[in-house]
Amino acid sequence: KTKTISSSQSGTEFYRNATDVLVCGDALLSEDFKSAMAVFRVNRNAEGQYSFYGDNVTGGYIQASSSEKDYMITSPQPAFAAVEIDGGGVADIRFDGGFTHNKLRFYPARNIFSCFEDGQEHVMIFVFPEPEAIHPEIDGATITGEYNLASGATVVLRFPVTEDYNVYQRFIPSEDGENAETVDFAKYRNSDIELSRPGILEYYTEDKGMLAKGLTINSRIHTLAVNSGSSGITAIDCPEAEAVYYNLQGIKVKAPANGIFIRVSGGKASKVVL
């Protein structure tokens, strides 16, 4: 029996509650997975640091927030941490930045997880296998990365249907990039998706087997950049439109750095490393 970070907040916004689970080999058992245990999607940046995005945690990314208090908060902006795991499985998680209370630890006296300058009990990381990626198809051909849409054309996109996974998707037109946060993911229901303008298609898979046990385990969010094709008309020279950046969760980032981002500018979307 052990403790995991709870999906619920403590009495304040600065700590996370703990919840009881049983570790049985490579499985975790809990009476109420879905509401009790926080599940984080982990992303790695170019410097080898990791962010922890809570799929079922309000607020988004966990991060340290103080040099005087043991505060750990959630934020819509990515926060990265250096992670080292020793031979016994103990994880040293230190959030980047200027805060000295930056070690993710468990505090048994208060039954909370938070960030400490030193002391408290160490933590371990339990890794669930990532669900298989289900990529979209156009005319039976699998499409990944980028797709160049001919001027004035409309194409029909579909996702292969499987018994093991659900697919969720959303399309963010380039002209609506400012409002990306308002576009919700929708469950794919074996219907045609028509694409007729440039933008970003984002999608991920959900493990049906784990969902039946009350635990939501999703894949990373994949992106398909749909670019506008040539119309045959000579373009008039004009300054390039100001680029808008999003992280891989589709959240707009004002000052992108130290990671992989989606860049949208001039009707074209591309994945960049900064």
Side-chain angles (χ1 to χ4, degrees):
K1 185 175 181 179
T2 188
K3 303 280 187 178
T4 67
I5 296 180
S6 171
S7 58
S8 65
Q9 192 67 277
S10 68
T12 74
E13 61 180 290
F14 301 115
Y15 313 106
R16 304 300 309 187
N17 287 332
T19 188
D20 293 330
V21 294
L22 296 176
V23 180
C24 299
D26 60 353
L28 291 181
L29 302 178
S30 172
E31 291 183 358
D32 189 1
F33 266 131
K34 200 164 188 178
S35 63
M37 187 175 67
V39 178
F40 296 93
R41 186 183 302 124
V42 181
N43 291 315
R44 184 177 186 271
N45 67 11
E47 284 70 43
Q49 296 174 313
Y50 298 85
S51 64
F52 297 86
Y53 181 83
D55 272 338
N56 60 342
V57 174
T58 302
Y61 297 90
I62 55 172
Q63 63 184 61
S65 65
S66 178
S67 291
E68 299 178 356
K69 303 289 186 177
D70 304 326
Y71 289 166
M72 181 175 70
I73 63 171
T74 55
S75 168
Q77 300 298 326
F80 289 91
V83 179
E84 296 182 2
I85 301 177
D86 68 16
V90 173
D92 184 76
I93 304 174
R94 297 169 182 258
F95 287 98
D96 196 15
F99 298 124
T100 56
H101 287 233
N102 62 357
K103 300 178 186 178
L104 177 56
R105 291 286 191 270
F106 174 61
Y107 185 15
R110 295 186 58 188
N111 201 38
I112 60 171
F113 286 85
S114 199
C115 293
F116 299 88
E117 186 172 23
D118 225 331
Q120 306 307 326
E121 294 189 1
H122 67 256
V123 297
M124 305 178 78
I125 297 175
F126 192 95
V127 179
F128 291 97
E130 182 177 0
E132 178 185 344
I134 306 296
H135 297 293
E137 296 179 349
I138 296 177
D139 294 330
T142 300
I143 306 297
T144 60
E146 291 186 335
Y147 181 80
N148 293 319
L149 184 67
S151 179
T154 298
V155 297
V156 173
L157 177 148
R158 299 180 67 90
F159 286 93
V161 177
T162 76
E163 295 183 355
D164 299 322
Y165 303 104
N166 293 317
V167 176
Y168 287 81
Q169 57 81 30
R170 69 175 181 176
F171 182 73
I172 306 169
S174 296
E175 64 267 27
D176 292 342
E178 292 281 342
N179 303 313
E181 295 91 339
T182 66
V183 182
D184 294 328
F185 281 93
K187 186 176 181 179
Y188 178 70
R189 300 187 183 279
N190 197 26
S191 57
D192 293 345
I193 300 173
E194 294 188 351
L195 299 179
S196 59
R197 50 182 174 167
I200 292 289
L201 176 73
E202 297 183 328
Y203 55 96
Y204 64 88
T205 51
E206 174 186 65
D207 189 315
K208 288 184 180 179
M210 297 302 289
L211 187 64
K213 299 176 181 178
L215 181 61
T216 302
I217 300 295
N218 299 331
S219 73
R220 71 193 70 185
I221 296 177
H222 299 272
T223 59
L224 175 68
V226 181
N227 302 319
S228 57
S230 171
S231 63
I233 300 174
T234 302
I236 299 173
D237 289 337
C238 61
E240 183 180 359
E242 183 177 354
V244 179
Y245 293 87
Y246 303 89
N247 62 24
L248 297 184
Q249 279 69 49
I251 300 171
K252 186 179 178 182
V253 179
K254 293 183 179 180
N258 300 325
I260 302 174
F261 301 89
I262 303 298
R263 181 181 187 272
V264 179
S265 178
K268 184 174 182 179
S270 57
K271 189 177 291 187
V272 296
V273 178
L274 300 175

